[in-house]
Amino acid sequence: MTFLQRELKKVTDMSQLCSMVTFVGDVGYVRISEEIRLRLEFLRSELSIYSGISMTMINRKEGVIDKNNFSFIDVLGIKAVKNPNFKEGICPHIWKDSYKFDWYVYKPIESDYQKIAEMVDCYISMFQDEGLSRGPQMKL
């Protein structure tokens, strides 16, 4: 498993609405319903920086239904670090250096992954058929 696959898997494992994830390269696909799949990948904001998550809902017969991106700064905020070069904190992001990927300075903790998973679940809930979630659903 690649670094990007492992990081996406941490998110989908914490998700209430992602069951099995199939990886094709660094992209994860999640079955939402019989015809709908979620394409989940890191959002590249610059050549070497991955600053968020890109989510695309795809109908297997008709193509892209919707696309939504969110940045880590919007979900996680500025993170304080002990590194003196970042006294104001840092926007969480993944950095690609040559062929190596890693979180740049700040490494997310479990609660950070949970917040990202909640954002993914919020998006999925807009497209999910009733009865396919792993967790409880709210009835209005």
Side-chain angles (χ1 to χ4, degrees), residues 15 40 48 51 67 79 84 92 94 108-109 119 125-126 129 134:
S15 165
L40 192 62
S48 301
S51 60
K67 184 171 181 143
K79 295 297 189 172
I94 294 171
I109 59 175
M119 288 296 291
S125 69
M126 302 300 294
D129 289 341
R134 291 194 317 200

Side-chain angles (χ1 to χ4, degrees), residues 48-59:
S48 301
I49 296 175
Y50 295 79
S51 60
I53 300 279
S54 177
M55 303 172 292
T56 306
M57 284 295 174
I58 303 167
N59 181 297

Side-chain angles (χ1 to χ4, degrees), residues 16-17 132-137:
Q16 295 295 310
L17 302 179
L132 289 179
S133 72
R134 291 194 317 200
Q137 289 188 353

Side-chain angles (χ1 to χ4, degrees), residues 40-114:
L40 192 62
E41 61 191 311
F42 285 102
L43 177 64
R44 188 185 299 192
S45 59
E46 295 179 31
L47 188 59
S48 301
I49 296 175
Y50 295 79
S51 60
I53 300 279
S54 177
M55 303 172 292
T56 306
M57 284 295 174
I58 303 167
N59 181 297
R60 294 180 339 127
K61 295 179 181 175
E62 299 172 17
V64 174
I65 299 170
D66 187 67
K67 184 171 181 143
N68 195 347
N69 300 326
F70 67 85
S71 64
F72 296 131
I73 185 83
D74 293 339
V75 177
L76 305 176
I78 301 287
K79 295 297 189 172
V81 292
K82 293 180 181 178
N83 187 317
N85 294 323
F86 301 97
K87 293 176 184 163
E88 308 279 318
I90 191 166
C91 303
H93 65 276
I94 294 171
W95 176 263
K96 179 183 175 193
D97 183 22
S98 294
Y99 296 102
K100 184 180 179 219
F101 292 84
D102 203 352
W103 289 94
Y104 187 73
V105 181
Y106 177 80
K107 300 206 184 306
I109 59 175
E110 186 173 343
S111 62
D112 294 327
Y113 288 106
Q114 187 62 50

Side-chain angles (χ1 to χ4, degrees), residues 20-24 27-31 37-40 58:
M20 191 177 83
V21 180
T22 302
F23 288 99
V24 179
V27 176
Y29 290 90
V30 179
R31 182 178 187 263
R37 303 293 184 267
L38 169 67
R39 177 186 168 114
L40 192 62
I58 303 167

